[in-house]
Amino acid sequence: MSNLFFYGVYLLRSQSPDKRYAGRCYIGFTVNPNRRIKQHNRGKDFGGAKRTSNKGPWQMIMIVHGFPNNIAALQFEWAWQQPALSTRLKQYSELRRKKPKESHFQYNFRILCHMLNVGPWNRLPLTIRWLESEYECDFLLKPPSHMQIVSGDVLLPKSQISQRKSGEESLAPQAIWAPECHLCMQRIENPERSRIGCTNSLCKLTTHLICLANYLLSSDESNRGHYIPIAGECPLCEEKFTWVALLERKRKLQDQCVEHIEEEDDDDDGFDSDSINDNSCASDFETCGTKSGSDSDKFTDINNSEKPNLCYNDIIYELSD
């Protein structure tokens, strides 16, 4: 699955001939890895970071991507940089400092191995990408099975690359909706906020966002006790998808002002479909949930007995420290 936009957290290693900087590592966030490594190597006057300026050349060893938004990626970056201060990592005393004879790369890789197995990051469909084959090694702690470990250069999503340069305009997708939720059979009163469908453009699945989340959670015993599904199967066409892919498609339909065709409802000929409001969601993954017992875990209970009148922002948990 590829998101509509690339958000990555990378690890650099210095190849400086100066022994003071050789082997040092730097962790950063980027939406364009190729451009970012060039900025680091050219120095702070060309967009590089102050901490990496004149301490290279730098190699981008690996990058973790697949985050739902830039906020989630920036929070991951900060925790990776500051494991002793992170709410979720400070309990691991072995991550507070580098071991004797352990290289800077080995230390940062050890932190990453723990992070990928700690919530909420262990629920995200992340991809761990090796960019330099000579550094590839086995993970000390195996990442969750839904995460991918790959090698090779990053290919940015097509939606992130402007097509105006070639003078081509992509056709907006078309969505066909039913006026009622296929799961609870109740009318969807606020479709621009609470309606969601399948990633298969030919599928007519129409559900409340919360109804589909509950359906996916209940279909897999491993999801018990969780609030956000990771992945699942469409109850109508059996298409397999990830939860993030569903939310990205919903955003894409809204951002492109897609014409939503409502199927006719024989029981209510006077039904008027609501038009899509591009401003209904200020941020695609912004959390509007309530705080749980921990000051760092925020989410909204999707098992609410009331009918959903929520934007998908309301049930995506906030990855904050």
Side-chain angles (χ1 to χ4, degrees), residues 231-298:
E233 191 174 277
C234 175
L236 200 61
C237 73
E238 299 184 349
E239 172 91 0
K240 293 183 179 180
F241 47 66
T242 63
W243 186 247
V244 171
L246 287 179
L247 302 184
E248 290 285 6
R249 173 169 169 77
K250 178 177 176 65
R251 184 184 72 173
K252 184 177 182 181
L253 291 174
Q254 289 180 316
D255 289 349
Q256 294 187 0
C257 301
V258 177
E259 179 181 0
H260 295 266
I261 303 174
E262 299 283 353
E263 289 184 330
E264 294 183 0
D265 185 358
D266 296 335
D267 297 331
D268 187 3
D269 293 335
F271 173 71
D272 293 327
S273 60
D274 293 333
S275 60
I276 293 297
N277 182 356
D278 288 338
N279 296 321
S280 62
C281 300
S283 174
D284 299 314
F285 292 89
E286 178 184 344
T287 301
C288 306
T290 58
K291 184 179 286 189
S292 68
S294 168
D295 63 350
S296 62
D297 295 322
K298 302 178 183 178

Side-chain angles (χ1 to χ4, degrees), residues 194 208-215 301-304 308 310 315:
S194 63
H208 289 107
L209 186 145
I210 291 182
C211 289
L212 183 57
N214 280 328
Y215 171 84
D301 188 348
I302 66 171
N303 296 309
N304 193 326
L310 303 172
I315 71 167

Side-chain angles (χ1 to χ4, degrees), residues 3 9 19 30 32 34 39 51 64 67 78 84 114 132 145 148 178 210 225 235 257 259 268 277 296-297:
N3 289 343
V9 180
K19 293 183 179 181
T30 185
N32 190 323
N34 294 330
Q39 291 175 328
R51 288 177 56 194
V64 180
F67 296 95
W78 185 86
H114 278 80
E132 296 292 339
S145 59
Q148 295 183 347
I210 291 182
C257 301
E259 179 181 0
D268 187 3
N277 182 356
S296 62
D297 295 322

Side-chain angles (χ1 to χ4, degrees), residues 4-21:
L4 294 179
F5 211 82
F6 181 91
Y7 305 105
V9 180
Y10 58 84
L11 177 66
L12 301 183
R13 184 179 184 276
S14 175
Q15 307 297 315
S16 173
D18 190 330
K19 293 183 179 181
R20 293 176 298 172
Y21 309 127

Side-chain angles (χ1 to χ4, degrees), residues 89-105:
L89 298 180
K90 64 183 180 182
Q91 59 181 308
Y92 302 103
S93 57
E94 65 272 23
L95 301 182
R96 294 178 182 175
R97 58 181 59 87
K98 189 170 69 69
K99 295 179 179 179
K101 298 184 180 180
E102 185 179 41
S103 69
H104 292 283
F105 165 72

